[in-house]
Amino acid sequence: MRSLTYREDGAPTSTWATFSIGPLHTPALLVEGDGEQAIAPESVRVQVLDGEVVLPEEMAPWRAEIAAAEEPTQEQALDQVRPEASGGTHGRIWNGPRYAVEGVEISRTPLEEHAEVRLRLRPTDYFTFLASQQLDRRLPDGTTPRGRYLDPDRPLDAPAFLQCSFGVNVAVVTADHLLVVSRRADTVRSGPGLWGSSVNEGLSRHIDSAGRNAPDLHDVARRGMREELSLEPHEYTLTMLAFVLDVDQRQWSAHFTASLTGLTGDALRSRISRGVADRWEHQSIDYVPFRPADVTDYLLRPDRIRRWAPVTPALFHLALVHAHGRGAVERAEARAVRRLPQGQGA
């Protein structure tokens, strides 16, 4: 199965490299988008296919283990309403309905050569996602899902049951030009304690697909802005920049940038202090001057460089390129790498 095709050049996937800045190396593969040109909403077509994702027979017991450990008994379900009874804040994990990525196809319009993206999804659930994340667990024959089903020279080819995650990541910039950087809470299941995007929201079948309609990725980003930062659509402009794949964990993302039209950093701090729906997902927020040199220095800080969520550095780079231009960003990144202590800039 080809999970992505270029109709014009047909370049082999083995020629692509994951995102890096000097010593900062990530598993983020920029599949489409360079930051300079926005991806228009009408250029993205999302199709939901019939038939849920099915794990291979040898991986099915892993999902059963997760279900047995996480699905509460009647008494445990009551404990989730009384957090203090279970010794935690959020109780057990809810097996929410979500989507797996069957494929991503990218082409170009004939004259302007603008991107056209077709995203094909299949229904799945959170327990299947958790089972599929065990890519290096041994199967009965001694192989692993990573070794059996994935080819490192063809990173865009993967079965849907190993790609049970699609989310949106947003780089938010305040009206006084501060980049919002969030640190994930230590209690979340995915990427605990890592520094990440301003907003991160997973695609949900239950929330994002009204009736039989396919989800709209811009609407998912707006939901994330509302739930994580208490921001409403009239308070910002939203731009899609890229489609990105974390090739290590097989998680897909649509990258956005959002520019606040009136709220400064202080005003956003004040807004957040009055409560947000998903406050528990983040434990702290930094505000970084949204200039190429400042953001690059921040990405390469010794206490940050190994604590980034996989696709976040690429997101911030693309947002900088969109605002300041590729040349200015590339020059700032090169200068930042040269300033690093000897031996750390390679």
Side-chain angles (χ1 to χ4, degrees), residues 14-340:
S14 59
T15 65
W16 295 21
T18 55
F19 181 83
S20 66
I21 302 174
L24 173 59
H25 298 277
T26 78
L29 183 65
L30 274 63
V31 176
E32 175 58 35
D34 62 1
E36 291 189 305
Q37 188 173 53
I39 300 175
E42 61 271 17
S43 298
V44 180
R45 178 189 174 196
V46 182
Q47 179 184 14
V48 178
L49 306 176
D50 293 330
E52 292 208 10
V53 163
V54 178
L55 289 170
E57 182 178 355
E58 61 271 19
M59 291 178 63
W62 300 357
R63 186 191 180 283
E65 290 173 7
I66 294 166
E70 300 295 349
E71 288 180 341
T73 63
Q74 184 174 2
E75 177 61 25
Q76 290 164 339
L78 292 174
D79 287 346
Q80 291 199 42
V81 182
R82 308 188 301 268
E84 69 280 359
S86 59
T89 304
H90 311 298
R92 293 181 176 230
I93 295 172
W94 177 56
N95 185 30
R98 55 196 292 146
Y99 287 108
V101 177
E102 176 75 19
V104 179
E105 298 174 0
I106 297 175
S107 59
R108 294 283 184 267
T109 57
L111 298 179
E112 298 87 355
E113 294 191 356
H114 293 161
E116 292 185 325
V117 182
R118 182 187 177 203
L119 173 63
R120 293 181 292 121
L121 305 173
R122 283 195 183 277
T124 188
D125 58 38
Y126 192 61
F127 288 173
T128 301
F129 162 71
L130 292 178
S132 72
Q133 286 288 282
Q134 302 178 76
L135 288 165
D136 298 307
R137 181 175 174 177
R138 295 293 176 183
L139 296 163
D141 66 355
T143 63
T144 65
R146 191 185 305 278
R148 180 182 292 190
Y149 298 108
L150 301 176
D151 183 348
D153 292 326
R154 302 176 67 88
L156 298 178
D157 290 351
F161 65 81
L162 290 186
Q163 301 191 132
C164 294
S165 177
F166 191 100
V168 301
N169 284 274
V170 187
V172 175
V173 181
T174 66
D176 54 345
H177 308 294
L178 297 174
L179 175 66
V180 180
V181 185
S182 297
R183 188 183 184 192
R184 294 181 62 77
D186 291 330
T187 54
V188 298
R189 189 71 177 250
S190 179
L194 296 181
W195 288 90
S197 56
S198 317
V199 169
N200 170 260
E201 196 65 56
L203 203 56
S204 166
R205 279 195 290 138
H206 175 67
I207 301 172
D208 298 314
S209 298
R212 297 180 61 87
N213 294 331
D216 182 294
L217 300 185
H218 283 73
D219 285 345
V220 179
R222 294 184 189 101
R223 176 168 68 83
M225 296 283 283
R226 182 176 60 254
E227 293 180 356
E228 297 188 13
L229 296 178
S230 288
L231 293 167
E232 297 300 330
H234 70 274
E235 297 180 299
Y236 57 84
T237 58
L238 185 67
T239 305
M240 180 184 284
L241 299 178
F243 282 80
V244 178
L245 171 65
D246 172 357
V247 297
D248 185 43
Q249 295 299 315
R250 307 304 310 178
Q251 297 184 22
W252 283 87
S253 170
H255 278 10
F256 291 81
T257 186
S259 298
L260 305 192
T261 53
L263 283 176
T264 64
D266 286 341
L268 182 58
R269 287 188 191 95
S270 180
R271 174 78 62 86
I272 294 171
S273 75
R274 295 192 289 271
V276 295
D278 288 346
R279 178 66 182 87
W280 61 271
E281 292 186 8
H282 305 285
Q283 58 183 303
S284 58
I285 296 177
D286 279 356
Y287 295 82
V288 182
F290 189 58
R291 297 185 291 264
D294 294 276
V295 174
T296 304
D297 286 343
Y298 186 84
L299 287 169
L300 297 175
R301 270 174 48 171
D303 61 338
R304 293 285 186 275
I305 192 168
R306 301 189 186 280
R307 298 298 300 163
W308 287 111
V311 300
T312 299
L315 169 69
F316 291 164
H317 166 85
L318 293 172
L320 285 170
V321 168
H322 191 71
H324 298 280
R326 176 169 299 280
V329 175
E330 294 283 359
R331 288 191 295 272
E333 290 172 348
R335 287 194 297 267
V337 171
R338 287 196 299 268
R339 288 196 301 268
L340 293 174

